[in-house]
Amino acid sequence: MSTTAEALPQLPFDRPNVLEIAPLYEVLRKQAPITRVRTPAGDPAWLITSFEEARAVFGDGRFGRSHPAPEQAAKISDAGVLNGPNGDYDTEQARHNRMRKLLTPAFSAKRMRLLTDHVQDLVRGCLDSMQAAHDANPGAPVDLHEHLSFPLPVLVICELLGVPFEDREYFAGLSDRMSRLGTGDAAQAARVELAEYMARLAEAKRHSPGEDVVTDLVRAQEADPDFDDGELSRLASGLLFAGHETTVTRIDLGVLLLLTDLDRRDEFAADPAGRVQQTVEEILRVADPSGLGLLRYAHEDVEVGGQLIARGDAVLIPTGAANRDESVYGEPEHFDPERKPNVHLTFGHGMHFCIGASLARTELKVVFTELFQRFPKLRLAVDVDDLDVRSDRVTGGVKALPITW
């Protein structure tokens, strides 16, 4: 997309550390809650930092993930995700409706509750791995990211989708390459490769079906000739990526939020099972690993908060900023598990509300309950400012989380 030399705030904004969002978001929310910025790719976009306007856009069917003229669309980044338009403008609504119909049963709150005991077993296996690493070298920190935050969501999404767990290192590498910034065509190539992997897996499921989501998608093709192989592989690869990457970062940041205040840690560790639901919701509200937010394109001219957003314009909604709107939350920067009500926009809102929200909540509740029941005196082995942050990834987060007990 051609751009002018118009001076605009440039994303990503600088942030103090991985737990705090960029201070500029608060400034903009107070002075210009709907404003023009320049994306990491250098193109202009609207940035919405207020809760009410963000919620309104999420719930407005005149905004979507596709673009009426994709070749003219503002680009967000050169990563393989959160890079630009997604899907076909003419068929987005129909395809979205089909996707929700296909996947809602697999990711329903009821099915997630039934999954809880199995997730608990998987978490306990990860905690055994943490303990073994500690026992092997008692004086050294243990990387919680390596032993828990990363492998647990991978184990869960592999089982749900029917992905062989032995392929985890392969698709983990692809996911990492997809989320990288500044690598030219490498991130896009990784996205294509992941879709090709899922296409091969779908073909295998046609011959050897299982009790999993990819098998469900393959069966759905029999009843819907418009649901082609390309759409299936894109959908399945998106589920594989989002189904583990976002939960990995929330586990890491949730642990950091508890361990950076030992009184807070002790209060939670005194009754993990009783406090976990509200604590997880506050983690979801406050934790903002990437800082960029969610992307929409206007499908027609729309007025939002008195500002006209033209057809085709890109809109970025940093949910971490909207979730700190002082007009909605008292002391929004304060981590308060007792906060009521605690309605946040982390999973979006409206027709595109994250279909994996119940899965993420299930995993997080089990992880934090089991982790602090077993290791109530867990503590950080390094200062939060010394953590190696994945600033070169569109998904953000940390590369390692050294802890001890």
Side-chain angles (χ1 to χ4, degrees):
M1 177 182 181
S2 60
T3 62
T4 67
E6 180 184 3
L8 298 171
Q10 174 71 56
L11 289 167
F13 301 153
D14 291 335
R15 55 194 299 180
N17 56 53
V18 74
L19 291 182
E20 299 178 58
I21 67 169
L24 184 54
Y25 281 127
E26 182 179 2
V27 174
L28 291 175
R29 190 173 55 250
K30 291 179 177 178
Q31 298 180 0
I34 305 175
T35 192
R36 299 279 276 175
V37 296
R38 200 163 294 282
T39 72
D43 286 351
W46 293 99
L47 186 78
I48 298 180
T49 50
S50 69
F51 183 95
E52 289 303 327
E53 278 77 15
R55 190 175 187 271
V57 170
F58 280 140
D60 193 327
R62 295 172 294 177
F63 291 91
R65 292 173 175 169
S66 64
H67 192 280
E71 68 283 355
Q72 300 173 18
K75 302 299 180 187
I76 307 306
S77 74
D78 62 352
V81 290
L82 193 64
N83 49 14
N86 184 23
D88 182 80
Y89 174 76
D90 294 323
T91 62
E92 177 179 359
Q93 186 62 57
R95 290 189 174 193
H96 176 75
N97 291 342
R98 176 169 57 208
M99 182 271 290
R100 302 295 290 204
K101 182 178 179 181
L102 287 172
L103 296 178
T104 295
F107 290 91
S108 68
K110 179 180 179 180
R111 188 162 179 177
M112 292 306 105
R113 286 193 295 270
L114 295 174
L115 186 67
T116 298
D117 287 347
H118 184 52
V119 173
Q120 187 177 62
D121 290 340
L122 295 176
V123 170
R124 289 172 178 174
C126 292
L127 300 184
D128 288 344
S129 175
M130 280 177 53
Q131 184 66 59
H134 179 272
D135 293 345
N137 194 353
V142 174
D143 184 0
L144 184 137
H145 179 87
E146 176 187 351
H147 292 281
L148 175 63
S149 307
F150 174 74
L152 186 276
V154 171
L155 281 163
V156 173
I157 200 65
C158 279
E159 293 200 15
L160 276 175
L161 296 184
V163 175
F165 186 65
E166 57 268 24
D167 291 346
R168 66 192 183 281
E169 294 298 332
Y170 172 68
F171 79 71
L174 289 178
S175 295
D176 182 70
R177 285 160 50 199
M178 282 171 60
S179 65
R180 283 180 178 264
L181 296 164
T183 61
D185 295 332
Q188 297 297 330
R191 180 176 182 169
V192 171
E193 189 176 341
L194 183 58
E196 291 172 344
Y197 168 83
M198 296 307 295
R200 293 193 300 272
L201 180 62
E203 185 60 30
K205 297 293 182 182
R206 289 188 178 94
H207 300 288
S208 300
E211 295 296 323
D212 53 66
V213 171
V214 173
T215 296
D216 292 346
L217 296 178
V218 168
R219 287 173 177 155
Q221 286 187 304
E222 299 172 3
D224 188 351
D226 292 332
F227 185 31
D228 60 30
D229 291 348
E231 186 178 355
L232 186 154
S233 62
R234 286 191 296 273
L235 177 57
S237 59
L239 288 171
L240 183 59
F241 179 86
H244 80 277
E245 183 68 34
T246 53
T247 311
V248 168
T249 55
R250 264 60 182 200
I251 294 173
D252 281 335
L253 268 61
V255 169
L256 283 171
L257 285 164
L258 290 173
L259 298 191
T260 47
D261 183 330
L262 295 185
D263 289 338
R264 181 189 297 161
R265 177 204 66 183
D266 291 344
E267 187 174 355
F268 178 76
D271 183 19
R275 297 179 180 274
V276 71
Q277 183 159 336
Q278 290 174 260
T279 300
V280 163
E281 288 307 311
E282 185 70 343
I283 288 169
L284 288 168
R285 183 187 74 85
V286 172
D288 184 31
S290 77
L292 283 178
L294 301 176
L295 170 65
R296 298 290 185 266
Y297 290 95
H299 286 180
E300 57 183 83
D301 292 354
V302 185
E303 186 173 307
V304 179
Q307 178 66 60
L308 180 65
I309 297 177
R311 182 177 188 264
D313 280 0
V315 179
L316 278 168
I317 305 173
T319 54
N323 286 341
R324 287 169 170 79
D325 189 333
E326 62 275 4
S327 71
V328 177
Y329 307 98
E331 297 184 279
E333 297 295 333
H334 177 59
F335 182 86
D336 179 13
E338 301 301 315
R339 188 181 300 277
K340 291 181 181 179
N342 196 0
V343 179
H344 54 75
L345 296 174
T346 298
F347 295 119
H349 172 72
M351 70 176 186
H352 286 291
F353 183 81
C354 176
I355 201 163
S358 290
L359 174 61
R361 286 184 165 113
T362 296
E363 291 183 62
L364 292 172
K365 284 188 285 189
V366 175
V367 163
F368 285 99
T369 300
E370 293 291 325
L371 177 63
F372 284 92
Q373 282 179 342
R374 184 154 174 183
F375 303 110
K377 294 301 181 183
L378 201 68
R379 63 185 188 276
L380 291 176
V382 298
D383 188 88
V384 67
D385 293 324
D386 294 328
L387 291 168
D388 194 355
V389 178
R390 302 197 310 171
S391 55
D392 59 343
R393 310 295 202 282
V394 73
T395 47
V398 296
K399 295 180 182 178
L401 183 50
I403 47 91
T404 188
W405 59 90

